Amino acid sequence: MRAKPEYRDRDETEVAVLDALADRHNEGMTVFEIRSQADVNIDQIEGALAALKEDDLIEVDDDGERTVILPDEDVVGPEATDDEPSLFEQLRRRLPF
């Protein structure tokens, strides 16, 4: 899964974090799991998480043993069924908007 299109105009690191969280939106992820999926350094993740938390796009759940970060339900897009971009997406990439 990926973050919904309306959340994709954010900073590149924030979008990578949201996409990683959307993949495991039910169970959440630790910071280290996000780092392995988003392929960005820990300082970038820290900044992205702060910005996402400030905008109420993520929530942090601390159960005493581990801290898990979950995306807001509104952030998670639909299940991706194929890897090919839609016609609209192809046009959007080619035309300067």
Side-chain angles (χ1 to χ4, degrees):
M1 281 190 199
R2 294 179 52 166
K4 288 182 179 176
E6 55 263 33
Y7 299 103
R8 304 199 69 74
D9 63 349
R10 303 180 69 86
D11 177 75
E12 184 178 322
T13 303
E14 292 175 25
V15 173
V17 169
L18 286 175
D19 283 343
L21 290 170
D23 282 340
R24 295 193 25 207
H25 64 278
N26 290 326
E27 61 267 11
M29 299 177 86
T30 66
V31 172
F32 295 112
E33 291 170 328
I34 293 171
R35 185 176 187 281
S36 70
Q37 293 294 314
D39 196 31
V40 292
N41 71 44
I42 199 78
D43 293 328
Q44 292 172 307
I45 290 173
E46 182 180 342
L49 290 175
L52 294 170
K53 178 72 174 161
E54 185 176 305
D55 293 341
D56 292 324
L57 297 179
I58 61 170
E59 59 184 69
V60 179
D61 182 27
D62 185 2
D63 66 4
E65 288 187 26
R66 67 183 234 168
T67 302
V68 178
I69 301 156
L70 300 151
D72 187 76
E73 290 179 19
D74 293 336
V75 173
V76 180
E79 193 73 43
T81 54
D82 57 42
D83 291 333
E84 275 201 42
S86 68
L87 177 60
F88 175 73
E89 185 65 29
Q90 291 174 13
L91 287 173
R92 195 176 121 223
R93 287 181 186 165
R94 291 178 187 248
L95 299 174
F97 287 113

